Amino acid sequence: MTPVFALVDCNNFYVSCERLFNPSLKNSPIIVLSNNDGCVIARSQEAKDFGIEMAVPAFKIKHLIKQHNIRVYSSNYALYGDISSRVMATLESMAPQIEIYSIDEAFLNLTGFSSLGSLEDYGQKIRQTIGQHVGVPACVGLAPTKTLAKLANHAAKKYAATEGVVDLTNPERQRKLMSITSVDEVWGVGRKNAEKLDQLGIKTVLQLAQMNKARAKSHFSISMVKTIEELNGLVRFALDESPAAKKQLMCSRSFSERITAYDPLREAVCEFAARAAERLRNGGQVCGAVNVFIRTGICDENERCYSNTATGKLSSPSSDTRTILKVATDLFDSIWKEGYRYAKAGVMLGDFCDPNKVQLDLFAEPSTQINDEGLMSVIDKINQGGRGKVWFGGQRPQEDWFMKRAHLSPAYTTRWDDLPNVN
Ligand SMILES: [Mg+2]
């Protein structure tokens, strides 16, 4: 039986969450800002139409915000996380298997569903059900591989005539869409590879699909060969498999107020380390190196500057929060200096590898942490469930103290005090 994957992706997700509890925002231009109200991370279509780019710093578009009366929101992750889990719960009821790919995206295995009726109709049903149960808009792409499903979803978003659903199971349609789509839209290709492909004369997705595999292998990694095969309808990425593993992972913040004391800065570093470790586990990887940095802001002549960074190796690769926390706090202690006003800190994990191919250190002490995988997966489940958090001693999980969130909407669905009132 030909496999069928669906990629369901919510439209302008953060903006749609904000609109959900504030219907007056419908059709008005909205943007959502990153932590500390720094950069634009989500835009409604109306805001896009006014030329507001993704990732632009908020202060650079002050005039546009004023001129077009654009509504500005601080990111409200309590709300987005909860709406996301409702979308995912709805999707789980509509497919035998799903892979939650990001906060607003999931792959569904719909193999065999075409014998029950048109796949396009089922895609519409998915959209309608999410609309009915949760209230946010989404697009659906259907295809025999995940890479093609991503492409189908891209088309469903881009072309209004599709009404939000593209069934790309037909090879003729696949070729047609691939011939008019730029190669940088392909899942896992990335900007750097797209530039390299461009230099090789490969500009459209169809050209990539027709690229000689040996040639691809000589210029790129094996992942590119798999991508080419996926574009030709061969499943190379099953559910829970992705084309490119990340090479490093960074978690850092600028503080809304300078930090001068040891304890709060150490807590911040622990928090970043714990979050990075969680993201590492989500990607199914382990890391071999941890880097910690702390720095003061831009200093005038009255203020002393200090910036330092330290990197440590793990005795054997791990994704255990406790191991990573221990290394991160030791590194922090080695660079901490009293008497400065710190503006930013961060933790970066690197030296990634596949947990199944870990080389153990012959001379290292055997791990005393028993059943760490089980413990970590329980912690991740609790923390990602949206109902509460558990954390390690060094962390300080309230994020509000280092974030500026001047335009935050209420946590409508997760805090009793914030429940919307109906008169
Ligand atoms: Mg989306």
Side-chain angles (χ1 to χ4, degrees), residues 8-14 102-105 137 153 157:
V8 182
D9 186 0
C10 300
N11 306 354
N12 311 328
F13 182 61
Y14 296 169
S102 73
I103 192 162
D104 69 335
E105 266 176 279
N153 192 291
K157 283 225 165 69

Side-chain angles (χ1 to χ4, degrees), residues 177-321:
L177 179 64
M178 287 196 284
S179 70
I180 56 165
T181 308
S182 157
V183 78
D184 58 0
E185 295 295 344
V186 175
W187 186 38
V189 161
R191 195 175 44 85
K192 261 193 190 161
N193 279 341
E195 279 168 19
K196 217 165 138 186
L197 284 165
D198 189 86
Q199 283 161 15
L200 296 170
I202 291 169
K203 296 173 196 302
T204 69
V205 184
L206 187 61
Q207 285 174 313
L208 178 62
Q210 292 168 340
M211 187 180 188
N212 177 290
K213 281 187 214 167
R215 185 168 178 233
K217 209 174 167 185
S218 72
H219 287 97
F220 302 95
S221 72
I222 186 72
S223 180
M224 184 65 85
V225 178
K226 287 187 179 179
T227 294
I228 291 172
E229 290 172 334
E230 284 246 321
L231 290 172
N232 286 288
L234 300 166
V235 175
R236 290 294 175 260
F237 305 118
L239 283 188
D240 294 314
E241 286 177 0
S242 294
K246 291 200 178 107
K247 293 264 157 43
Q248 57 186 30
L249 212 158
M250 165 81 117
C251 193
S252 74
R253 292 277 186 289
S254 297
F255 307 123
S256 58
E257 277 164 27
R258 299 294 182 92
I259 294 180
T260 54
Y262 172 85
D263 283 341
L265 194 60
R266 187 180 189 275
E267 284 165 2
V269 167
C270 288
E271 177 66 12
F272 301 147
R275 285 197 206 172
E278 183 178 331
R279 279 159 56 191
L280 184 68
R281 290 192 294 275
N282 274 342
Q285 289 180 297
V286 291
C287 76
V290 179
N291 171 278
V292 174
F293 75 83
I294 53 175
R295 71 169 77 112
T296 54
I298 302 158
C299 301
D300 53 37
E301 60 264 34
N302 302 320
E303 198 175 347
R304 294 183 308 147
C305 282
Y306 175 63
S307 163
N308 206 348
T309 169
T311 303
K313 287 247 164 216
L314 304 188
S315 58
S316 62
S318 171
S319 63
D320 190 307
T321 300

